[in-house]
Amino acid sequence: MAAIKHRRTALERVEKFLSDTYFTDCNLRGRLFGDRCPPASLSYFQTPRRIPYEEAVVQEFRPAQVGESFGPTWETCWFKVELSIPLAWAGREVHFVWESDGEGMVWRDAQPVQGLTKEGEKTSYTLTRSLKESEPHSLTLYVELACNGLFGAGKGSMIAPPDPDRSVTLSKAELVVFNRDVYELLVDLEILLDMAQLLGEENQRSFQALYTANQMINVCDVMDPSTFPAARDLAAAIFSQRNGESQHTIHAMGHCHIDSAWLWPYEETIRKCARSWVTVVHLMEHNPELTFACSQAQQFEWVRSWYPGLYARIQDFVAKGQFIPVGGTWVEMDGNLPSGESMVRQFLQGQRFFQEQFGRICSEFWLPDTFGYSAQLPQLMHGCGIQRFLTQKLSWNLVNSFPHHTFFWEGIDGSQVLTHFPPGDSYGMHGRVEEMLKTVKNNKDKGRVNHSAFLFGFGDGGGGPTQKMLDRMKRMSNTDGLPRVQMSTPDQLFSVLEKESSQLCTWVGELFLELHNGTYTTQAQIKKGNRECERILHDVEVLSTLAVAQDSVFQYPASQLQRLWRLLLLNQFHDVLPGSCIQLVVEDALQYYTEIRRAGAQLQEEAVQSLCRDLLQPKARSTQSTLMLNTLPWERTEVISRPGPDGTETLALVTVPSMGYALVQEPFVPPQPVAVRKQEDGSITMENGVIAVCLDTMGHLTSLRLLDSGRESVPDGCYANQFALFDDVPLYWDAWDVMDYHLETRKPVTTLLKPLEITLAGGLRGSVRFSLQVGKSSTLTQEIILDARCPYLRFLTQVEWKEAHKFLKVEFPVQVRSTNATYEIQFGHLQRPTHWNTSWDWARFEVWAHKWLDLSEHGFGVALLNDCKYGASAHRNILSLSLLRAPKSPDSTADIGHHQFTYAVMPHRGSFQEAGVIQQAYNLNFPLHAVPASCAQCPAWSAFSVSSPAIVLETVKQAEDRPEAVVVRLYEAHGSTVTAWLQTSLPVKEAILCDLLERLAVQGRLPLEQQGLRLSFTPFHVLSVLLVLSR
């Protein structure tokens, strides 16, 4: 009988029929499970360690009960579950159901078989689809339970510091009969209900879905499964009504974003990978259409080492094209702070791993969750065999909505990559109707492209896809009213986007995330460890390469360097280097830096001993002298400090050739020694023939002049080197965010503890010292140092930091007018506005830079250099360096303690390029190495030099696959087109251009000429050359 249908009551009728809360005694949901049966026996053993299966199963287990709690946080409980399936269940589908607040892994026959997390909607393990008499009815499973949730154990909120005393409760452990016919009907009705609700009252299709669902309830008797097929036929009739040809196509891919460390330590991530990936493999065995995109070579390496059986199954599915390695990097690293060479090594280590393990490199760069993307990345991708990029993080922008989802992204050198942001603005979709509709509606490139990505699966803490997600999407594959949904791969998606790309727009420059700007400063010790260890590995590679070239016996420490690089790359993960992780992770990261420093120092010493052996050997009646080594590609004249004969430090002015060494020549008096004078008002002046400075008793810079021109850098009545403290209370993301409104809370630091006093009276070096109180209980002591012949004034700073939710910066108002400031990035620099004209401008109130930033007008400028800081800003004429933050989540101890760092100010004539700001910033970051020697005379020696100041020789290393060859990497740093000569004293017999993966270029052979190698550069071009040495 045709009946009047009220839309609201019909909708709610369907909702209640599916509800797991209401009417479960008589609705369909209440029939999902049939008979239940407890385990024959349940026992457990607890350990603070994460131990292998073999070790766990031989422990002594004691009885456990459902309803019991286990803990505390980070402990592991192993449960032995003995099951006996009732004979009466023959022919039925039997599941083992397990519900707890912790993350579980089922082990069967000594292999991991299924991850279990309530938060990831995985609470059962299928024992059999249809119980046969021949199958064993009694079996033993082990469940490895981590006493932490999918997102760690935050106390009160997800990102709060972990609660150390949290326990997890085991709420269910039982055998159940699973009624698959009920499940399939539930999924049908769920999709129809969503279509009815979401397509809207004005849509005919919405009513078709609603009336069909209503009719299905009419024909369905929940107590009589024989009525189910008729109800399912009604749903099938709707789902089989096809789309038109113009409908948008969604490319669905399984995905499971696993943070390599975040609210849990690295060691827990290893298990998260196994729990998530074993579930994916299990799904693939029953769903041959399932594809799964998986990034981060480090995670594959972890699983390979810890779970070889699972890894072998993964390799099989990689070969079948279902389990798809993507990204090409060692980890999903931060996109702003790692150096250019570190980014190259992310790709080099990642792509080589994927090639060795799976016989192919990745063709897509995959970085969905990182806090902004450097404008140098497109060129680095190109150099590593990648021309496609996927992310979605810019959908988090706080101020401006990014105008595209599919576009070409152009880097500072002009390289372009096809870029796609999934228009659903997520990498953790669940396969629901609402998400499909959002993907189509939200797409900002309608009319340009008609395909988009849809990444489904629980993520961040792992989890991955579920069977239900797949079953939802099967029903939506080609259904009128919804976009077309197909299982796809990154390659299929990008291939079709490439075919449609003729109308795509181009975005030039950085992809700046208008959020999480605090990550440039949080956890200063991690930032410092990163910068130091990048330097250490650079120096070890340079010196080891030179040692190999000079000494046929010396072995290049390739395997040790790979191990250290991989530790450094791991710490560049996008929640570690940015500082947005818990204290346990910070401790691990700092320990890895300590190991790189320790092993790096030893490798460096071995290389130096080999390279300079004849100069270092103690000889009879030999004189003590000092050998200086320079690992940078230009000659340097600097004041150095070295231990004197009586153990005290003595100073010397030394000149050391490019990438080489020289003995300290005694004595070398500078033509213009440093003069330090105290004035009557307590202020102090210092000058060195290049610059003259005046400092007041509080350490403010009141004057900074270039002596040759007399040009003043500090505006009248202003103080440079002014410390300022800001309130720093973000809206939610504590370690991540510094908000625009923090600028309204500026308080200059004005409490003097010790006034300015002279500590070195001049000669080769002048220095002064003062101390301030910062905030309520912190202290800052600074030594301001001027060296002979040095173009910059440096500030050696020590802080005892004890603040909460405060932000410390140092400001330099300068007498320069420019609408743009320049910031160093990887292998180059870019400009950002100094004004806030538009929302795009003021959203960049806090930005990042590497070793320097500069504000210049025609003919004059001022640069700020630093040795370990990344946060910065330039507004109007004030250059500001961000020094320390004090967030309380997710690490309540973040940044509390002692800090030491150096920054410097450098006024200059002309442009920063002509003035050598780039080189001086390198010099500040790469100190000369002093080694005690035993000969009075030796000629200075240089291994490499470059004829143009625009070209930086960044890297000298042994080739990955050719021990007899060296790879050198150079880049154009000025933003100019230039030809330069690379000269070397190494015995080079052949030179061939190569890419960043060290694959030789076709017709890349370079002629060896009298002047060296002739190399041509366009602006910011990165060039790698393989040099074959003759033995």
Side-chain angles (χ1 to χ4, degrees):
M1 177 188 87
I4 299 296
K5 291 182 184 62
H6 183 263
R7 183 174 168 88
R8 185 191 146 186
T9 57
L11 281 168
E12 205 160 317
R13 181 191 187 196
V14 182
E15 283 174 4
K16 294 297 190 285
F17 195 61
L18 304 180
S19 172
D20 56 7
T21 308
Y22 301 102
F23 306 112
T24 52
D25 59 325
C26 59
N27 73 2
L28 186 63
R29 178 79 59 187
R31 296 291 172 273
L32 184 58
F33 296 110
D35 293 343
R36 298 167 186 271
C37 163
S41 153
L42 183 65
S43 56
Y44 84 106
F45 131 80
Q46 186 168 328
T47 170
R49 296 187 303 121
R50 298 173 177 91
I51 60 174
Y53 172 87
E54 298 74 24
E55 188 181 334
V57 294
V58 298
Q59 304 298 320
E60 200 173 312
F61 285 72
R62 58 179 190 267
Q65 302 289 325
V66 172
E68 246 185 283
S69 292
F70 303 88
T73 310
W74 310 124
E75 294 270 308
T76 299
C77 292
W78 284 82
F79 291 85
K80 185 177 186 179
V81 189
E82 295 181 47
L83 301 171
S84 185
I85 306 173
L87 293 168
W89 292 6
R92 309 305 301 272
E93 181 167 340
V94 181
H95 290 194
F96 168 59
V97 171
W98 175 279
E99 284 187 24
S100 78
D101 314 320
E103 290 192 87
M105 168 84 96
V106 182
W107 290 80
R108 185 175 183 177
D109 302 326
Q111 286 300 322
V113 289
Q114 172 76 50
L116 295 170
T117 40
K118 196 158 62 174
E119 298 154 291
E121 293 181 8
K122 295 178 187 68
T123 54
S124 69
Y125 166 57
T126 305
L127 292 170
T128 172
R129 289 288 170 108
S130 175
L131 183 63
K132 300 180 184 66
E133 276 188 34
S134 58
E135 284 185 81
H137 284 49
S138 295
L139 68 155
T140 301
L141 301 177
Y142 287 88
V143 177
E144 177 188 9
L145 184 70
C147 295
N148 52 264
L150 206 55
F151 291 92
K155 189 172 187 174
S157 82
M158 179 180 79
I159 64 164
D163 179 352
D165 303 314
R166 193 151 121 184
S167 58
V168 300
T169 303
L170 176 58
S171 45
K172 266 189 200 165
E174 60 188 8
L175 286 170
V176 299
V177 170
F178 180 77
N179 293 320
R180 186 155 292 275
D181 50 356
V182 172
Y183 165 81
E184 298 290 0
L185 201 47
L186 284 168
V187 179
D188 286 345
L189 283 161
E190 180 197 287
I191 300 284
L192 291 169
L193 176 62
D194 281 352
M195 287 174 69
Q197 288 175 320
L198 297 164
L199 290 176
E201 284 189 57
E202 68 286 352
N203 192 316
Q204 159 81 5
R205 192 72 171 147
S206 163
F207 285 90
Q208 289 176 350
L210 177 59
Y211 289 2
T212 300
N214 187 72
Q215 184 59 20
M216 287 168 69
I217 299 172
N218 291 339
V219 304
C220 177
D221 177 353
V222 296
M223 306 305 285
D224 180 7
S226 69
T227 63
F228 296 174
R232 291 216 63 206
D233 288 346
L234 291 168
I238 283 276
F239 296 141
S240 62
Q241 289 177 326
R242 299 288 174 235
N243 259 313
E245 281 184 28
S246 69
Q247 186 55 268
H248 188 84
T249 299
I250 283 176
H251 292 250
M253 306 165 216
H255 190 245
C256 176
H257 182 65
I258 303 178
D259 288 320
S260 289
W262 179 29
L263 304 173
W264 53 87
Y266 285 129
E267 215 175 51
E268 191 55 46
T269 309
I270 300 172
R271 298 200 295 190
K272 283 178 176 286
C273 294
R275 287 189 284 260
S276 304
W277 296 358
V278 76
T279 307
V280 169
V281 166
H282 187 68
L283 282 171
M284 284 177 176
E285 284 162 351
H286 296 96
N287 302 269
E289 76 284 1
L290 171 61
T291 58
F292 180 74
C294 191
S295 67
Q296 307 198 71
Q298 170 70 83
Q299 295 185 1
F300 282 90
E301 174 58 25
W302 278 334
V303 171
R304 188 179 77 86
S305 303
W306 289 88
Y307 300 90
L310 168 59
Y311 190 73
R313 292 165 72 196
I314 289 170
Q315 284 181 305
D316 289 344
F317 282 107
V318 171
K320 288 177 185 166
Q322 287 179 258
F323 202 110
I324 304 162
V326 291
T329 49
W330 189 247
V331 294
E332 287 188 13
M333 73 281 195
D334 180 80
N336 301 322
L337 309 185
S339 70
E341 190 59 30
S342 285
M343 285 190 165
V344 171
R345 300 309 174 92
Q346 287 285 356
F347 285 108
L348 182 71
Q349 289 296 326
Q351 292 284 50
R352 285 177 63 83
F353 178 89
F354 290 128
Q355 182 67 51
E356 285 163 15
Q357 294 296 313
F358 307 117
R360 51 167 289 235
I361 62 170
C362 303
S363 53
E364 312 81 19
F365 184 36
W366 197 271
L367 206 55
D369 192 35
T370 288
F371 316 145
Y373 303 88
S374 163
Q376 188 56 278
L377 276 165
Q379 179 176 195
L380 301 186
M381 289 183 229
H382 270 266
C384 298
I386 292 175
Q387 292 179 34
R388 302 158 162 185
F389 174 45
L390 182 141
T391 183
Q392 62 81 48
K393 198 63 177 185
L394 264 68
S395 67
W396 284 48
N397 269 9
L398 197 61
V399 181
N400 298 286
S401 178
F402 194 79
H404 304 294
H405 280 106
T406 307
F407 59 99
F408 285 105
W409 177 26
E410 184 176 305
I412 55 172
D413 73 311
S415 297
Q416 291 192 347
V417 289
L418 177 59
T419 301
H420 181 69
F421 299 172
D425 292 344
S426 170
Y427 50 70
M429 295 296 203
H430 293 174
R432 305 196 73 108
V433 170
E434 180 182 11
E435 298 164 342
M436 303 300 172
L437 296 175
K438 179 183 178 182
T439 294
V440 176
K441 185 180 178 186
N442 203 36
N443 178 20
K444 295 201 174 109
D445 298 282
K446 296 181 187 79
R448 301 182 194 278
V449 288
N450 207 19
H451 294 256
S452 60
F454 183 93
L455 308 179
F456 64 94
F458 287 93
D460 292 337
T466 66
Q467 184 64 52
K468 193 170 204 178
M469 295 173 190
L470 290 167
D471 293 335
R472 286 175 186 139
M473 289 186 289
K474 283 172 189 168
R475 288 159 172 81
M476 292 187 257
S477 63
N478 192 355
T479 294
D480 189 22
L482 299 178
R484 201 175 276 110
V485 181
Q486 65 183 45
M487 273 295 161
S488 187
T489 66
D491 182 56
Q492 285 168 14
L493 168 72
F494 276 105
S495 295
V496 72
L497 291 177
E498 281 161 1
K499 289 196 183 95
E500 293 185 351
S501 66
S502 63
Q503 297 301 306
L504 292 180
C505 300
T506 299
W507 179 271
V508 179
E510 65 185 327
L511 294 174
F512 184 86
L513 178 65
E514 297 172 357
L515 197 72
H516 295 357
N517 328 43
T519 60
Y520 317 146
T521 306
T522 305
Q523 298 285 8
Q525 297 294 8
I526 289 182
K527 310 286 194 279
K528 184 175 182 177
N530 179 71
R531 183 82 64 87
E532 274 188 21
C533 291
E534 286 176 336
R535 180 200 79 220
I536 288 165
L537 294 181
H538 168 275
D539 286 0
V540 169
E541 287 185 336
V542 168
L543 295 167
S544 298
T545 305
L546 302 189
V548 169
Q550 296 291 90
D551 178 353
S552 56
V553 182
F554 180 78
Q555 288 290 303
Y556 188 86
S559 60
Q560 296 99 307
L561 276 166
Q562 182 185 69
R563 180 179 75 87
L564 299 179
W565 265 112
R566 286 181 171 183
L567 284 179
L568 178 61
L569 300 179
L570 173 57
N571 274 353
Q572 289 172 348
F573 178 75
H574 66 250
D575 280 307
V576 181
L577 180 52
S580 48
C581 51
I582 60 171
Q583 188 181 351
L584 274 177
V585 179
V586 176
E587 289 166 2
D588 282 348
L590 295 180
Q591 198 179 331
Y592 290 165
Y593 292 134
T594 301
E595 170 58 13
I596 296 168
R597 288 184 185 106
R598 183 203 63 76
Q602 189 182 337
L603 293 176
Q604 182 175 303
E605 190 181 341
E606 289 166 9
V608 170
Q609 288 296 329
S610 171
L611 178 64
C612 311
R613 180 176 296 133
D614 297 340
L615 308 174
L616 309 181
Q617 296 296 345
K619 302 178 186 72
R621 296 187 306 283
S622 64
T623 53
Q624 276 298 304
S625 55
T626 305
L627 185 71
M628 302 305 302
L629 292 110
N630 174 15
T631 57
L632 293 178
W634 43 78
E635 181 182 274
R636 295 161 69 177
T637 298
E638 289 174 25
V639 175
I640 58 111
S641 174
R642 56 184 178 145
D646 56 352
T648 56
E649 294 285 307
T650 62
L651 299 176
L653 185 64
V654 300
T655 298
V656 193
S658 159
M659 278 203 183
Y661 56 73
L663 278 178
V664 176
Q665 299 299 318
E666 304 282 358
F668 188 39
V669 179
Q672 291 196 281
V674 180
V676 183
R677 298 185 187 90
K678 189 157 191 168
Q679 310 300 314
E680 284 181 14
D681 60 1
S683 66
I684 294 174
T685 60
M686 294 198 281
E687 57 179 79
N688 67 351
V690 184
I691 55 176
V693 305
C694 183
L695 297 147
D696 72 9
T697 55
M698 288 198 59
H700 292 132
L701 196 52
T702 55
S703 171
L704 172 63
R705 283 182 305 117
L706 278 177
L707 282 170
D708 62 355
S709 64
R711 173 66 192 258
E712 176 61 66
S713 306
V714 181
D716 280 352
C718 291
Y719 294 131
N721 199 39
Q722 170 69 64
F723 295 98
L725 203 59
F726 299 79
D727 294 344
D728 188 15
V729 186
L731 299 175
Y732 174 70
W733 297 101
D734 197 356
W736 292 258
D737 286 351
V738 56
M739 310 308 297
D740 51 355
Y741 53 75
H742 88 284
L743 294 168
E744 299 173 47
T745 67
R746 177 182 178 274
K747 292 180 188 67
V749 174
T750 56
T751 309
L752 188 62
L753 293 178
K754 285 186 187 161
L756 193 71
E757 59 177 8
I758 296 172
T759 47
L760 279 176
L764 287 175
R765 174 173 290 168
S767 67
V768 295
R769 182 183 292 143
F770 66 97
S771 295
L772 302 173
Q773 180 175 323
V774 179
K776 286 205 172 75
S777 48
S778 302
T779 55
L780 181 149
T781 301
Q782 195 165 61
E783 191 171 3
I784 304 178
I785 302 163
L786 183 63
D787 281 347
R789 296 188 51 171
C790 187
Y792 56 74
L793 181 68
R794 81 192 141 101
F795 302 82
L796 173 58
T797 315
Q798 317 248 6
V799 185
E800 288 297 335
W801 184 243
K802 299 172 185 172
E803 300 307 297
H805 288 121
K806 298 290 179 190
F807 196 156
L808 179 67
K809 303 184 186 185
V810 65
E811 299 167 346
F812 284 79
V814 294
Q815 208 162 304
V816 175
R817 179 161 176 80
S818 175
T819 53
N820 286 292
T822 310
Y823 302 80
E824 188 190 38
I825 68 166
Q826 297 82 358
F827 298 134
H829 57 260
L830 51 72
Q831 293 192 324
R832 300 185 182 110
T834 56
H835 56 74
W836 293 340
N837 281 0
T838 70
S839 59
W840 292 89
D841 299 331
W842 70 255
R844 289 184 279 180
F845 58 85
E846 175 79 4
V847 296
W848 60 272
H850 281 200
K851 299 184 290 292
W852 57 269
L853 63 148
D854 181 86
L855 189 66
S856 289
E857 57 190 46
H858 180 68
F860 178 78
V862 179
L864 268 189
L865 325 177
N866 75 83
D867 73 347
C868 63
K869 298 297 169 190
Y870 295 92
S873 65
H875 183 51
R876 311 293 295 198
N877 68 322
I878 298 175
L879 295 176
S880 177
L881 198 61
S882 300
L883 303 177
L884 293 167
R885 292 188 71 215
K888 297 299 164 194
S889 290
D891 174 8
S892 61
T893 69
D895 284 317
I896 300 305
H898 180 78
H899 297 270
Q900 179 176 318
F901 49 85
T902 296
Y903 56 87
V905 62
M906 177 177 164
H908 58 84
R909 282 177 69 172
S911 68
F912 69 86
Q913 292 100 326
E914 294 158 347
V917 165
I918 298 166
Q919 284 80 0
Q920 294 298 339
Y922 269 96
N923 293 353
L924 183 69
N925 278 267
F926 290 79
L928 294 167
H929 297 289
V931 184
S934 59
C935 60
Q937 291 289 306
C938 96
W941 179 78
S942 167
F944 287 99
S945 59
V946 188
S947 64
S948 166
I951 305 305
V952 176
L953 170 55
E954 176 73 23
T955 304
V956 176
K957 66 183 281 290
Q958 188 179 73
E960 293 291 315
D961 297 318
R962 297 179 67 171
E964 81 288 4
V966 170
V967 168
V968 292
R969 190 159 8 265
L970 310 95
Y971 72 94
E972 197 290 318
H974 285 181
S976 61
T977 298
V978 65
T979 298
W981 292 93
L982 172 67
Q983 292 108 2
T984 180
S985 59
L986 271 50
V988 175
K989 64 176 183 184
E990 198 179 1
I992 311 151
L993 291 174
C994 62
D995 68 4
L996 299 177
L997 300 182
E998 303 183 10
R999 301 178 298 184
L1000 300 182
V1002 181
Q1003 296 173 326
R1005 185 167 273 107
L1006 299 168
L1008 301 174
E1009 300 181 51
Q1010 187 75 47
Q1011 291 164 274
L1013 289 175
R1014 189 170 187 271
L1015 302 172
S1016 296
F1017 294 85
T1018 50
F1020 307 118
H1021 183 49
V1022 179
L1023 200 63
S1024 302
V1025 187
L1026 185 116
L1027 306 175
V1028 184
L1029 304 183
S1030 53
R1031 282 289 182 205

